[in-house]
C-alpha cells in the first residue's frame, strides 16, 4: 500500500504479518553519511525488513521480524559507533542547542586572545601560550575527533572525519613547527582552534534553525492538556490526562481544553475546534455531540463521556501522522545519500592531491598544507545532507497548520508530479448528505400543509430522504400516522386520522392513480434531484426536492485545480443525469457515472497505463481501492477510517480547496529541495577549487583554513534558512477580497453571533465572517461578489434586524 513509509530500495524486503515496527532515538549523527552508515548497519541484519534514518530529527524507524528484538537493533546501531534508545520521540534538539552554545562560547573566549597573540606577539614564549590556549579548545570540541576517527576505524567516514583531519593536520603542523622552529614564527595553533570554533558556531546556528522546523509539531503537541477533571462518586478529581480511560466522565470548564475525544452527556456550549478543522467559527455542542481533544470549551460547563484515551484521540493521530511524515524520507533524498556515501573519501583524496600538487610545483610546505586543510574543511557535506529533511519537516508542518496531513515524504514528493486528478462525487464535490432544495405545494395548499404531511409520514422512517426533511424542518408539528407500509423502491403509505396518505416517487403516484401536474413531472424538473411526491385522500399535495448539493467551495476549487494544469475527472456511482448536473455545476467537462468501486480502480489503472501520474480524492469505503491504486490517495477528513488509511494525504477540513493547497505546497517543497541541492553542489564545485588554490596563480586568491570553516558553516545555514521560507508559504492562490460591515440589531450573546456567522459562512463566496453582539455589527470578507440584499436576507431569516 502506498501509505507505508518510504522504503529504501537497498534495504527493503517483503514483510509478513508478524513484522514489528519501532521508533528509535539515534545520537551521535552529524551528517548524511552518518545516517547512511546507521541504515547500512541495521539494514544488513537478517530479519530487518525496512529501516529509515532521519538525520534532522535524530530518529530511526525499523520494521523487523519476531526473531529480533529492539535491543538487537540498538546493539547494531552502537556497533556502528552511535547511540540508540527506544522512544516515541527524539527530544534532542533543545539539549543539543545548549551543548553547542556552551561549546562555542567557551571556545570563543579562548580563541579571541589566541588570535590577538598570534598577530601581536611572536617568539617561543608566545608559542607556548598559544599552545596552552589551544589545548582547552581541542578538549571542548573533542567530539569531532572521537566521532571522526572512530568512524574511520570502523571502515566509514563522515563530516566529522573531514573536520578532525583538518584540525589535526593544522595542529600537527603547529607542533612540528614549534618543536623544530623549521619555519620561523608561523604556527598553526590558531588555525586549528579557529576551525573547531567556527564549525561549532555553524553547527549551533544550524541546530537553532533546524529546531524551528519542528515548531508546527511542537505546537500541536502543546494543545493536548496534561491534566483532566474526572467525576468520581459525584466529586471532581484532577488526574493526569494520560490516566483518562474510555467511559470516564469528564468535567470541562469554560476556557479549558478537552483532554480526549468524547460525547457530551450534559451541558451546552460553543467549542473552538480550529486545532483540528482550521475553522475559526465555534461549533455548538449539546447532549450527544462529539468533542475532540485539544478543542477549547467556549463557555458553560460540559460533562463529557470519554470515548477514546488521550493517546488514541484524533489530535494524537494527527500529531503521529505529522511526526511520521517529518521523520520520513522522500525518494529525492536518495540522491544525497548516494553522493554522501562516496563524498568524504573523494574529498580526502582531493586534499592529498592538492598538497602533493603544490609541493611538486615548488610551493612552500605552509602554502601546500594550508590549501590541503582548506579543501578538507570546506567540503563537509552538511548542506547536502540537510537539503531534503529540513524542507520536508517545514513543509509537513506548514501543511498540518492548515489541516493538510502528509502521511510520508513519498506522498509529498509524488503529489507535485500529478497531472491527472480523479474526484469522487459524493462527500468530495458534494456535501455527502441529502438536503432539501425545494418545497413545492400543490395549488390550494400551503407550504406548512405540505411540511406537516411530510413530517407525519416520515416521522419513523430511516430513509436518507426522510432524514433530510426532518433535519431541515424540525419545527413542523406532525400528526400521528398509523398503518405504515414501506414499499421498497417506491415510498411509503400510511393513515393519518383515518385518511390514506402516501409519499414516494412518480411510480407510486401512478399506482395510486394520483395525477401529477405536467409542470411537476420528473422530466420537467431539473436533473440531479430526488423528488418525493405527496398525496392524501386521493389528492396530490405537492413535492419536496432533495439533493446532495455541491459544497460551497467546490466550483472555486475545481477552477483553481485546472489553473494548476491538472486534468480533472469525476467518478461516481450515481446516475448519468445526476452526474452530468453536478459536473456542470462544478465546472467539470470529464466524468464517468455508474462506477462501482472496482470500476474506479480499473479506471485509474487505465490512466496510469498511459504513463500519467494520477491522484484520487475520495471519502468513502468504496473509494479505498482507487485511493490505494492511485500514485497519491487524498482522503477527505470526514470520510471513513478505511478511506483515511488508504490515503497518503488527508484533508482534515473536508474541503476540496485544501487539495489545491496540498498540491501547491508539494510543488513548493520539492522546488525548495532542488534549490538546496543546487546550492550545496554549486557551492562545493566553486569552493573546492578555491580552497585548493586553483585561482592563486592567476588572481592571487587563497582561502585560509579558518575562513573555509566559516564558509562551510554558512553553506549549511543558508540551506536551512532557505527551507524555513516555506513557513511563510501561502497554500492557496491569492484572492481579491472585499470586506463589508453590516449593522445588526437583536444579537444578545455568543449564541446569537454563532447563528449569524454560521448562516453567512454557508454562502458561496463568503471567506470569513465575524459577528459581535457588543458592537452590533457583522464584518464579512467576500471572495466573490454577493448582492447586499442577499446578505441582509440571510441575517433577517435568522431573526435579527439589519439597521
Amino acid at each position: 500500500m502506498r501509505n507505508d513509509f518510504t522504503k529504501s530500495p537497498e534495504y527493503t524486503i517483503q514483510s509478513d504479518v508478524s513484522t514489528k515496527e519501532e521508533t528509535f532515538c539515534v545520537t551521535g549523527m552529524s551528517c548524511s553519511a552518518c545516517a547512511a552508515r546507521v541504515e547500512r548497519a541495521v539494514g544488513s541484519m537478517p530479519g530487518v525488513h525496512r529501516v529509515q534514518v532521519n538525520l534532522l530529527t535524530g530518529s530511526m524507524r525499523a520494521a523487523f521480524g519476531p526473531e529480533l528484538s529492539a535491543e538487537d537493533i540498538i546493539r547494531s546501531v552502537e556497533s556502528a559507533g552511535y547511540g540508540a534508545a527506544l522512544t516515541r520521540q527524539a527530544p534532542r534538539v533543545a539539549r543539543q542547542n545548549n551543548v553547542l552554545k556552551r561549546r562555542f562560547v567557551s571556545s570563543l573566549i579562548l580563541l579571541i586572545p589566541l588570535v590577538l597573540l598570534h598577530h601581536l606577539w611572536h617568539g617561543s614564549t608566545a608559542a607556548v601560550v598559544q599552545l596552552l590556549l589551544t589545548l582547552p579548545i581541542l578538549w571542548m570540541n573533542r567530539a569531532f575527533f572521537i566521532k571522526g576517527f572512530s568512524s574511520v576505524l570502523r571502515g566509514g567516514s563522515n563530516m566529522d572525519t573531514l573536520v578532525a583531519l583538518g584540525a589535526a593536520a593544522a595542529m600537527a603542523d603547529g607542533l612540528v613547527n614549534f618543536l623544530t622552529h623549521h619555519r620561523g614564527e608561523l604556527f598553526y595553533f590558531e588555525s586549528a582552534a579557529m576551525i573547531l570554533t567556527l564549525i561549532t558556531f555553524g553547527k549551533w546556528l544550524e541546530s537553532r534553525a533546524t529546531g524551528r522546523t519542528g515548531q508546527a509539531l511542537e505546537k500541536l503537541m502543546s494543545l493536548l492538556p496534561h491534566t483532566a477533571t474526572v467525576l468520581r462518586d459525584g466529586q471532581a478529581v484532577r488526574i493526569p490526562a494520560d490516566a483518562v480511560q474510555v467511559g470516564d466522565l469528564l468535567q470541562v470548564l469554560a476556557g479549558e481544553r478537552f483532554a480526549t475525544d468524547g460525547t457530551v452527556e450534559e451541558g451546552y456550549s460553543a467549542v473552538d475546534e480550529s486545532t483540528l478543522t482550521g475553522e475559526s467559527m465555534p461549533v455548538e455542542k449539546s447532549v450527544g455531540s462529539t468533542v475532540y481533544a485539544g478543542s477549547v470549551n467556549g463557555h458553560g460547563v460540559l460533562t463529557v463521556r470519554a470515548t477514546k484515551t488521550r493517546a488514541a484521540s484524533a489530535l494524537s493521530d494527527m500529531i503521529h501522522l505529522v511526526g511520521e511524515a517529518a521523520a520520513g524520507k522522500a525518494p529525492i533524498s536518495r540522491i544525497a545519500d548516494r553522493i554522501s556515501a562516496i563524498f568524504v573519501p573523494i574529498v580526502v583524496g582531493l586534499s592529498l592531491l592538492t598538497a602533493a600538487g603544490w609541493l611538486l610545483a615548488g610551493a612552500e610546505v605552509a602554502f601546500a598544507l594550508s590549501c590541503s586543510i582548506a579543501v578538507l574543511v570546506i567540503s563537509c557535506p552538511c548542506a547536502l545532507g540537510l537539503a531534503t529533511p529540513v524542507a520536508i519537516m517545514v513543509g509537513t508542518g506548514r501543511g498540518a497548520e492548515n489541516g493538510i496531513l502528509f502521511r510520508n515524504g513519498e506522498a509529498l514528493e509524488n503529489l507535485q508530479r500529478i497531472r491527472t486528478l480523479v474526484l469522487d462525487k459524493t462527500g468530495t464535490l458534494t456535501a455527502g448528505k441529502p438536503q432539501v432544495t425545494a418545497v413545492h405545494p400543490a395549488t390550494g395548499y400551503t407550504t406548512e400543509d405540505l411540511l406537516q404531511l411530510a413530517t407525519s409520514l416520515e416521522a419513523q422512517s430511516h430513509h436518507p430522504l426522510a432524514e433530510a426533511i426532518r433535519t431541515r424542518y424540525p419545527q413542523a408539528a406532525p400528526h400521528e400516522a398509523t398503518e405504515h407500509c414501506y414499499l421498497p423502491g417506491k415510498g411509503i403509505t400510511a393513515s393519518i386520522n383515518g385518511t390514506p396518505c402516501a409519499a414516494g416517487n412518480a411510480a407510486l403516484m401512478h399506482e395510486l392513480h394520483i395525477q401529477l401536474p405536467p409542470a411537476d413531472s420528473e422530466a420537467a424538473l431539473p436533473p440531479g434531484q430526488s423528488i418525493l411526491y405527496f398525496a392524501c385522500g386521493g389528492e396530490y399535495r405537492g413535492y419536496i426536492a432533495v439533493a446532495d448539493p455541491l459544497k460551497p467551495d467546490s466550483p472555486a476549487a475545481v477552477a483553481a485545480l485546472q489553473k494548476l494544469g491538472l486534468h480533472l475527472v469525476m467518478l461516481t456511482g450515481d446516475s448519468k443525469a445526476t452526474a452530468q448536473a453536478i459536473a456542470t455545476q462544478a465546472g467539470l467537462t470529464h466524468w464517468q457515472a455508474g462506477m462501482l468501486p472496482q470500476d474506479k480502480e480499473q479506471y485509474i489503472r487505465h490512466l496510469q497505463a498511459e504513463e500519467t501520474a494520477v491522484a484520487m480524492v475520495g471519502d468513502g469505503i468504496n473509494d479505498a481501492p482507487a485511493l490505494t491504486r492511485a500514485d497519491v490517495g487524498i482522503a477527505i477528513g470526514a470520510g471513513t477510517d478505511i478511506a483515511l488509511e488508504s490515503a497518503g494525504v488527508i484533508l482534515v477540513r473536508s474541503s476540496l480547496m485544501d487539495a489545491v493547497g496540498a498540491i501547491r505546497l508539494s510543488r513548493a517543497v520539492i522546488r525548495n529541495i532542488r534549490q538546496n541541492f543546487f546550492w550545496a553542489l554549486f557551492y562545493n564545485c566553486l569552493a573546492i577549487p578555491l580552497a585548493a588554490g586553483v585561482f592563486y596563480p592567476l588572481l592571487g586568491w587563497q582561502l585560509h583554513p579558518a575562513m573555509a570553516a566559516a564558509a562551510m558553516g554558512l553553506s549549511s545555514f543558508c540551506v536551512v534558512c532557505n527551507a524555513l521560507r516555506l513557513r511563510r508559504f501561502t497554500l492557496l492562490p491569492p484572492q481579491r477580497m472585499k470586506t463589508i460591515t453590516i449593522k445588526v440589531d437583536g444579537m444578545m450573546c455568543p449564541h446569537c453571533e454563532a447563528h449569524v456567522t454560521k448562516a453567512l459562512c454557508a454562502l458561496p463566496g463568503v471567506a470569513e465572517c465575524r459577528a459581535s453582539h457588543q458592537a452590533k455589527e457583522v464584518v464579512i470578507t467576500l471572495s466573490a461578489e454577493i448582492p447586499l440584499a442577499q446578505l441582509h436576507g440571510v441575517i433577517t431569516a435568522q431573526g435579527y434586524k439589519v439597521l
Side-chain angles (χ1 to χ4, degrees), residues 249-330:
L249 276 179
L250 308 179
Q251 184 183 72
V252 186
L253 304 179
E256 288 187 338
R257 292 189 182 274
F258 294 90
T260 188
D261 299 352
T263 304
V264 177
E265 295 281 326
E266 183 181 342
Y268 177 85
S269 182
V271 174
D272 178 6
E273 295 183 342
S274 59
T275 54
L276 280 171
T277 65
E279 300 294 337
S280 58
M281 184 178 68
V283 180
E284 296 181 16
K285 301 291 182 180
S286 57
V287 175
S289 300
T290 301
V291 294
Y292 300 99
S295 302
V296 181
N297 185 19
H299 59 275
V301 180
L302 290 179
T303 302
V304 176
R305 178 80 64 181
T307 57
K308 292 183 179 180
T309 62
R310 170 176 148 143
S313 65
L315 183 58
S316 292
D317 287 344
M318 180 187 295
I319 293 170
H320 181 66
L321 279 176
V322 175
E324 293 245 320
K329 285 186 178 181

Side-chain angles (χ1 to χ4, degrees), residues 232-256:
R232 292 177 177 168
D233 300 325
Q235 299 294 320
V237 181
R238 202 74 175 172
I239 65 171
D242 287 333
V244 174
Q245 300 296 317
V246 174
D248 283 347
L249 276 179
L250 308 179
Q251 184 183 72
V252 186
L253 304 179
E256 288 187 338

Side-chain angles (χ1 to χ4, degrees), residues 405-467:
L405 303 182
F406 293 94
R407 195 176 291 276
N408 49 46
E410 183 180 18
L412 180 64
E413 179 177 345
N414 287 343
L415 192 58
Q416 58 87 28
R417 63 184 183 89
I418 294 301
R419 294 298 173 264
T420 299
L421 185 64
V422 175
L423 306 171
D424 176 49
K425 178 184 75 70
T426 306
T428 301
L429 286 167
T430 66
K433 192 173 183 180
Q435 298 178 15
V436 174
T437 57
V439 178
H440 192 278
T443 303
Y445 297 95
T446 66
T447 299
E448 289 72 19
D449 295 334
L450 179 58
L451 291 176
Q452 188 177 62
L453 173 61
T455 53
S456 299
L457 289 170
E458 305 289 2
Q460 305 300 322
S461 175
H462 297 290
H463 194 279
L465 300 185
E467 180 66 25

Side-chain angles (χ1 to χ4, degrees), residues 133-157:
L133 289 172
T134 303
L135 291 177
I137 297 177
L138 295 176
W139 174 255
M140 287 184 289
N141 295 280
R142 63 190 180 279
F144 288 118
F145 300 96
I146 295 173
K147 295 177 184 178
F149 291 135
S150 64
S151 178
V152 173
L153 293 176
R154 290 184 173 90
S157 56

